[in-house]
Amino acid sequence: MEDCIFCKIIKGEIPSKTVYEDDKIIVFMSIGPATDGHLLVVPKKHIVTIMDMDMDTLSHMVTIIKEKMYPLLKEKLGCEGLTIGQNNDLGQEVKHFHIHLIPRYQGDNADVKYDHTKVSPIEEVFAKLQ
Ligand code: 5GP
Ligand code: ZN
């Protein structure tokens, strides 16, 4: 898709630090890393949110994360954990589906923090979800 930064990376029109690639997906370093080795796992097809992802590609992405990326990050960078994140629509800066792999290190302060002080009417919300 024109004007999509990740499509341009996939086509090789702009450079990226790619650590894995096959016919379906590409994995490259985030330009704004949360920790050392923050990677983005990206389908080669231009898809915006998880709602449009096909299960074959999604499951392939998870397989590569499990079998290749997390082992690579542990072996080469010595990370002690992996936080996985994925934004859809609101909060999604790049509108081309991607999964964040954030390697974790002791004292990295990269915990995903939510504001638990916000008061939410749990009973009311639960009722809406039925
Ligand atoms: P989002 O907010 O869409 O979930 O995350 C976007 C991710 O893409 C962020 O990690 C951001 O640093 C990364 N990013 C944005 N533009 C570029 C770019 O041009 N190159 C690379 N490698 N990463 C990018
Ligand atoms: Zn794209």
Side-chain angles (χ1 to χ4, degrees):
M1 194 209 179
E2 264 179 56
D3 293 334
C4 170
I5 199 100
F6 286 1
C7 282
K8 285 181 182 165
I9 287 174
I10 290 158
K11 285 189 253 168
E13 290 173 7
I14 61 167
S16 69
K17 297 203 170 357
T18 296
V19 297
Y20 175 85
E21 184 170 9
D22 61 32
D23 58 328
K24 288 196 181 89
I25 68 170
I26 186 168
V27 183
F28 51 82
M29 295 185 73
S30 167
I31 209 169
T35 64
D36 288 356
H38 181 165
L39 301 178
L40 303 171
V41 186
V42 182
K44 287 194 166 173
K45 207 170 149 197
H46 181 85
I47 288 153
V48 180
T49 74
I50 194 165
M51 298 308 290
D52 293 321
M53 280 296 294
D54 66 274
M55 285 314 296
D56 273 358
T57 309
L58 203 50
S59 116
H60 178 62
M61 291 170 97
V62 175
T63 301
I64 296 301
I65 293 168
K66 281 181 65 173
E67 294 182 358
K68 292 192 190 294
M69 296 300 103
Y70 192 21
L72 178 83
L73 292 165
K74 277 207 259 202
E75 187 196 330
K76 304 285 187 183
L77 301 181
C79 69
E80 296 171 72
L82 182 68
T83 293
I84 297 178
Q86 198 271 310
N87 295 310
N88 298 281
D89 301 319
L90 189 64
Q92 180 179 7
E93 177 204 338
V94 177
K95 306 294 186 196
H96 181 132
F97 183 86
H98 53 281
I99 298 174
H100 293 260
L101 301 184
I102 302 173
R104 300 302 308 276
Y105 308 90
Q106 287 293 336
D108 62 14
N109 279 325
D111 288 340
V112 178
K113 300 248 194 260
Y114 299 101
D115 184 356
H116 295 290
T117 61
K118 283 188 187 150
V119 178
S120 170
I122 295 173
E123 295 301 332
E124 204 178 307
V125 175
F126 179 61
K128 285 184 188 170
L129 294 173
Q130 301 310 298

